[in-house]
Amino acid sequence: MFVALPVDAAGRSRLLPWTLPFRFFVSAALFHAAAWPLLFAAADDVPRFQGGLGPVLGALHALTLGTLMSTVMGASLQLLPVATVQAVASQRLAALLWWIFTPSAACLVAGMSQPHPALLAAGTTGTVAAVVLFAGLLGHNLAHAKRQQDSVLHGWVAWGAMLLAAASATLLVRWYGGAALPDPRAFARAHLVLGVFGFMTVLAAGFSYILVPMFAVTRQPAEGLRRGVLGAAVAGVALALAGAFLDASPWLPGAAAGVGSVAAAVHVGAMAREVRRRMRPEMGPWFVLVALGWAMLIACLPVGLAVAAGAWPDRGPALFGALAVGGWLLSFVLGILSRIAPFLASVHAMGSRRAPPLVATLTPMRPLRAHQALHALALAGVLAGIAADSGALVRAGAALGCAGGVAYLVFVAGVVRRLRKGRSHA
Amino acid sequence: MKFERQTSRTLHDEHDTTLALMGRFEQALLRAPRPPAPADAAWERLARDAAALLDTEVGRHFDFEEQSLFPRLDDAGESNISSILRYEHDLIREGADTLVRLLRESWMQPMVQDRWDDLRNLGLEIVERMVVHIQKEEMALLPAIEVLVSEADDDSLTNTYAAA
């Protein structure tokens, strides 16, 4: 009774070959596994980190570019076309994207960590080229989207912020190479705000409105609320950018953090309310890290507000960065990835003459559970280390993070192995 | 998610009904490693609801999608998506036939542990397959209906489904 499925789409289909999104997911897990050893090696520098080349900045970009961006690319290339009923512009360009982005991001991280200006410049050039290519693919999808207008709006905001973040990165790297740049600190702040909040946070919120209700089996928050949160997030980012460039007083960054805090609280409150109303009580392990990410999002912006007001001048920036990147974005994205990877595997594990495996059997539970515990402990160690100005605590946290990175890599590799096994029975 | 077409809204509402029942059914199975006591009224009510859904409503829903909607996906060059959904229909139908027989047995006579284990394992598998299948339809099929089905077509499809 089992039909043989077409492995690849005839013509342009919304469903990509499985190897396309999964190559990005494997890269994300590899960069994640590489980031923690870098942080371990530079643990003493973490609590008072305020920017500058070195392994701390390298570790940060291994996470933001390597893990978060790779996941965003893989997930959006597959899920956005399905949700918006608009096929990806070109599967070949999507494949080319991985080939440009992954080695370039690795080069950039290595160039930052050593630091090695030529390597950094080469990596940045390739990474920015990949970001522009991704912007083209994403922009094509958003411009032709036939559905999900609200998420499309989030996509456009993130699209603009991503390109501005890439532009500011180019200027900063040129400055590291000796070129003139007026007020590099302002550009560095703008890069952080654009990358972490304007791009990743807005995109994460837009995807949340589709993915969390689908996986938790519940409804989306009201459209008015979603748009209101987006408006507040855009206002917060704009205020933060104005604060970075126009005003040395803490008012603008403080106002940005205040508006952002309200937007984050409303977003998380609405999502949590819908999750509580879910129709299927069983949530699965993916939600643990999503919930942790939401808690960290709520926590990070008031910390940003305090830092803007002058609190903890030595360690405040590192604390804010660790909460925003490690606590919020990394927890949330790894949680979502741990659900969409087996889900997409279940879509593709159908070349078999046997019944295809369940999502649950495509999910290697032991490494996933181990990663969740290690991730939470690693985060606690790093945050405590920054708060106590203790390199030893950061190092202990990073050591747990190294183990967690390996566990997550084993998890992703396990999903791929089970998917390939399912398909090999055709 | 907001749907303009009545066809999408009807299918979406049926998905919600199915998910709510599957959620209750899954919880009952997870809480019961042993067979229900004879004349357990709560179990009988739930088992009857689940059997009715799997026996008639799901079949009607699947038939409509296969006969009236998947050909539209095929024509739009989305045959890989319709093939996956058809394939899952076949799997769920096959498992549901056995599960419905076990459910009927569960309220008509006392069940031995082995039969209960069969019911529980199959029930949990069907819940998982049904939930993931609905997630795929909500993500890939219903948005496509919104784009591929015209207003006039929508009226005709709604009437066809109501008459089924």
Side-chain angles (χ1 to χ4, degrees):
Chain A
M1 64 169 276
F2 299 120
V3 294
L5 294 177
V7 174
D8 292 315
R12 277 178 32 182
S13 168
R14 290 183 289 157
L15 194 61
L16 299 176
W18 72 272
T19 53
L20 238 168
F22 273 90
R23 72 185 66 180
F24 286 98
F25 299 159
V26 171
S27 297
L30 282 167
F31 275 110
H32 177 239
W36 287 105
L38 281 172
L39 205 68
F40 181 87
D44 291 332
D45 299 331
V46 170
R48 290 168 184 268
F49 179 72
Q50 309 242 345
L53 296 177
V56 181
L57 197 66
L60 182 65
H61 284 79
L63 293 177
T64 53
L65 271 180
T67 302
L68 303 180
M69 189 71 178
S70 292
T71 306
V72 161
M73 286 176 170
S76 59
L77 284 171
Q78 177 55 89
L79 298 178
L80 210 55
V82 173
T84 59
V85 198
Q86 173 59 47
V88 72
S90 161
Q91 291 189 10
R92 285 186 180 184
L93 286 179
L96 179 67
L97 175 65
W98 184 87
W99 285 104
I100 300 174
F101 177 75
T102 305
S104 300
C107 209
L108 184 149
V109 169
M112 264 179 188
S113 304
Q114 290 182 7
H116 190 299
L119 203 56
L120 174 59
T124 304
T125 304
T127 303
V128 170
V131 167
V132 170
L133 174 56
F134 177 59
L137 292 168
L138 183 64
H140 173 270
N141 192 282
L142 296 174
H144 296 88
K146 300 176 181 77
R147 290 281 304 155
Q148 298 283 4
Q149 291 309 316
D150 178 65
S151 294
V152 167
L153 207 55
H154 284 77
W156 278 124
V157 171
W159 183 89
M162 175 180 72
L163 287 176
L164 289 173
S168 56
T170 306
L171 293 172
L172 283 166
V173 170
R174 283 169 54 84
W175 174 70
Y176 283 128
L181 182 68
D183 199 357
R185 276 183 78 87
F187 277 91
R189 282 182 190 163
H191 178 70
L192 184 147
V193 167
L194 287 163
V196 172
F197 295 102
F199 170 49
M200 276 303 304
T201 298
V202 167
L203 200 63
F207 268 114
S208 295
Y209 296 135
I210 300 175
L211 294 177
V212 173
M214 184 175 89
F215 290 135
V217 191
T218 187
R219 295 180 187 284
Q220 291 180 316
E223 187 176 351
L225 182 142
R226 303 197 303 262
R227 296 206 173 192
V229 168
L230 178 62
V234 170
V237 169
L239 284 167
L241 291 177
F245 286 108
L246 301 178
D247 189 357
S249 80
W251 292 108
L252 282 171
V259 171
S261 297
V262 172
V266 173
H267 170 74
V268 172
M271 295 304 295
R273 192 165 51 247
E274 295 305 331
V275 168
R276 278 197 299 275
R277 291 176 183 164
R278 66 190 182 275
M279 284 180 258
R280 190 189 185 198
E282 289 302 304
M283 282 293 276
W286 65 279
F287 189 68
V288 174
L289 287 191
V290 169
L292 176 63
W294 283 344
M296 294 288 118
L297 173 62
I298 295 284
C300 84
L301 287 160
V303 169
L305 184 64
V307 171
W312 318 305
D314 293 337
R315 285 163 286 147
L319 190 62
F320 175 63
L323 282 167
V325 175
W328 150 230
L329 286 174
L330 188 64
S331 304
F332 179 85
V333 166
L334 292 181
I336 291 288
L337 181 56
S338 71
R339 186 64 181 86
I340 58 177
F343 178 75
L344 286 178
S346 82
V347 172
H348 289 284
M350 290 199 173
S352 172
R353 300 193 71 80
R354 304 180 309 178
L358 297 170
V359 170
T361 60
L362 286 162
T363 308
M365 281 297 179
R366 287 171 69 178
L368 188 59
R369 296 274 189 211
H371 168 258
Q372 286 172 350
L374 290 163
H375 176 83
L377 290 169
L379 200 59
V382 171
L383 292 173
I386 294 170
D389 198 7
S390 163
L393 271 176
V394 173
R395 196 170 295 108
L400 293 165
C402 291
V406 172
Y408 203 81
L409 188 57
V410 170
F411 162 74
V412 173
V415 175
V416 172
R417 198 182 64 248
R418 291 171 191 207
L419 164 58
R420 289 170 64 99
K421 194 175 165 191
R423 292 177 64 83
S424 71
H425 289 282
Chain B
M1 208 177 297
K2 206 166 66 182
F3 294 110
E4 303 292 330
R5 298 282 178 257
Q6 182 58 43
T7 308
S8 318
R9 286 202 295 270
T10 304
L11 295 179
H12 175 71
D13 290 346
E14 291 188 0
H15 286 164
D16 275 2
T17 306
T18 303
L19 289 169
L21 180 56
M22 289 291 114
R24 287 194 289 128
F25 184 51
E26 182 180 41
Q27 285 304 293
L29 294 177
L30 289 172
R31 281 196 302 261
R34 305 262 169 251
D40 180 337
W43 167 255
E44 183 176 338
R45 204 163 40 245
L46 180 60
R48 282 182 184 277
D49 287 348
L53 180 95
L54 293 168
D55 200 25
T56 53
E57 286 307 306
V58 166
R60 176 176 165 269
H61 183 108
F62 284 3
D63 289 346
F64 172 68
E65 288 175 348
E66 289 170 9
Q67 288 158 20
S68 302
L69 300 177
F70 293 170
R72 284 173 166 79
L73 280 182
D74 296 341
D75 291 346
E78 302 269 25
S79 60
N80 49 3
I81 291 178
S82 59
S83 300
I84 287 168
L85 298 177
R86 272 194 196 97
Y87 182 62
E88 292 185 346
H89 284 180
D90 288 344
L91 281 172
I92 292 170
R93 275 195 190 101
E94 188 182 69
D97 285 347
T98 310
L99 183 59
V100 167
R101 279 200 300 277
L102 288 165
L103 285 168
R104 287 189 179 131
E105 193 182 317
S106 79
W107 77 68
M108 292 170 78
Q109 61 196 61
M111 261 194 150
V112 297
Q113 185 67 44
D114 284 356
R115 294 293 280 171
W116 176 250
D117 289 343
D118 289 345
L119 187 158
R120 198 163 171 263
N121 292 336
L122 183 58
L124 290 171
E125 180 181 331
I126 291 290
V127 168
E128 176 72 19
R129 289 202 190 280
M130 187 75 91
V131 169
V132 173
H133 177 72
I134 289 174
Q135 287 168 342
K136 288 173 189 165
E137 289 201 343
E138 288 280 318
M139 189 149 192
L141 175 65
L142 301 196
I145 292 172
E146 294 286 290
V147 173
L148 298 175
V149 172
S150 68
E151 212 167 306
D153 225 8
D154 189 37
D155 290 341
S156 153
L157 284 170
T158 305
N159 291 334
T160 304
Y161 194 33

